[in-house]
Amino acid sequence: MSCSRRQFMAGMSAGALIMMTGPTRSLASSLAHTQTIDGVRYGMLHDEQACIGCTACMDACREVNQVPEGVSRLEIIRSGPVGEYPDAEYHFFRKSCQHCENAPCVHVCPTGASHIRMEDGIVDVDADLCVGCMYCLAACPYQVRFINPVTRVADKCDFCRKTNLAAGKEPACVESCPTKALVFGNLDDPDNPLSQRLVKETTYRYKQALGTSPKMYRVPKGEIKS
Ligand code: SF4
Ligand code: SF4
Ligand code: SF4
């Protein structure tokens, strides 16, 4: 489905009203799950036990993907301390696109700009189709989307699809992590290091109860965020 920016903006007021009535109410509805065509379905693991909160991943993401100041595709959120000195500990939570298989942002997009790539399962934004309506920003229960102040279209983590992945490298955040707390790979390949860790370790996915089927897995440290 597609429409021009002018056509869409003309009908936006009524649509915006509908959106305000509760964009996340139908998250567990009948959206199709990802079915990739080449047996590649990218996902990521954040090992919260290995993360030291250095934010090197955030800096690398910004630099490699030329993310403007004031917005970000990735944040590491610190909480704590838990416990008493000298045993007090901090927890670090990765906030970024979860590349949901049942993605509300895709469901609400009126132009087809937000979509799941059949090649690799990445949730992406077609800049040529995006009209900047911000429906996807409102619908995302993880609050990870923003309007890029330079391109004026919706933006978020794309697993470095146009940068590091295109150059045959791992995503910038994964490359830069000094503790190997981030693991990227093909969830449909059982021999992949990511798949192997998911088989062996206890992991969780954030807000899984919403039915979004996130492809971001986490090794918990302390209390699990739900
Ligand atoms: S985390 Fe938000 S932006 Fe990313 S796929 Fe899910 S709903 Fe869409
Ligand atoms: S995969 Fe790329 S775009 Fe996504 S958070 Fe990591 S560095 Fe940023
Ligand atoms: S670079 Fe690695 S250790 Fe540092 S904050 Fe990011 S995920 Fe955590």
Side-chain angles (χ1 to χ4, degrees), residues 27 96-107 114-116 121-125 136-137 139-145 155-157 212-215:
L27 294 187
S96 63
C97 176
Q98 316 289 298
H99 293 279
C100 306
E101 297 202 87
N102 198 8
C105 58
V106 172
H107 181 56
S114 284
H115 63 283
I116 299 178
I122 291 174
V123 179
D124 211 354
V125 180
C136 58
L137 275 68
C140 172
Y142 302 93
Q143 299 180 313
V144 294
R145 286 185 170 238
D155 201 339
K156 64 170 193 66
C157 164
T212 48
S213 295
K215 294 201 291 294

Side-chain angles (χ1 to χ4, degrees), residues 60-97:
C61 177
R62 183 174 300 284
E63 188 177 322
V64 166
N65 297 301
Q66 298 184 338
V67 181
E69 289 301 321
V71 289
S72 64
R73 290 182 170 194
L74 165 62
E75 289 176 58
I76 297 290
I77 298 169
R78 187 178 85 159
S79 62
V82 176
E84 305 250 331
Y85 178 86
D87 299 317
E89 284 189 333
Y90 288 94
H91 292 171
F92 302 102
F93 181 81
R94 176 183 163 116
K95 182 181 176 189
S96 63
C97 176

Side-chain angles (χ1 to χ4, degrees), residues 121-199:
I122 291 174
V123 179
D124 211 354
V125 180
D126 183 335
D128 292 334
L129 292 179
C130 180
V131 293
C133 66
M134 302 195 286
Y135 281 21
C136 58
L137 275 68
C140 172
Y142 302 93
Q143 299 180 313
V144 294
R145 286 185 170 238
F146 56 91
I147 297 295
N148 186 307
V150 176
T151 63
R152 300 282 175 197
V153 300
D155 201 339
K156 64 170 193 66
C157 164
D158 62 358
F159 279 156
C160 293
R161 183 180 75 76
K162 297 181 189 137
T163 53
N164 272 26
L165 279 199
K169 299 192 281 187
E170 296 220 284
C173 54
V174 177
E175 255 191 339
S176 66
C177 179
T179 67
K180 309 287 182 216
L182 294 168
V183 183
F184 175 77
N186 179 7
L187 293 164
D188 283 348
D189 174 6
D191 296 327
N192 191 275
L194 171 60
S195 305
Q196 292 186 347
R197 283 197 64 173
L198 293 180
V199 168

Side-chain angles (χ1 to χ4, degrees), residues 35-42 116-122:
Q35 288 183 317
T36 58
I37 51 178
D38 292 329
V40 177
R41 196 169 55 95
Y42 286 131
I116 299 178
R117 283 165 49 90
M118 290 297 101
E119 300 94 319
D120 48 28
I122 291 174

Side-chain angles (χ1 to χ4, degrees), residues 7-80:
Q7 285 169 330
F8 177 73
M9 296 312 269
M12 184 173 162
S13 299
L17 197 60
I18 292 166
M19 182 180 67
M20 287 171 69
T21 63
T24 59
R25 276 190 308 181
S26 61
L27 294 187
S29 66
S30 58
L31 299 175
H33 282 216
T34 311
Q35 288 183 317
T36 58
I37 51 178
D38 292 329
V40 177
R41 196 169 55 95
Y42 286 131
M44 191 177 279
L45 174 78
H46 181 216
D47 185 340
E48 294 174 357
Q49 294 179 15
C51 182
I52 56 174
C54 66
T55 69
C57 51
M58 289 173 53
D59 297 341
C61 177
R62 183 174 300 284
E63 188 177 322
V64 166
N65 297 301
Q66 298 184 338
V67 181
E69 289 301 321
V71 289
S72 64
R73 290 182 170 194
L74 165 62
E75 289 176 58
I76 297 290
I77 298 169
R78 187 178 85 159
S79 62

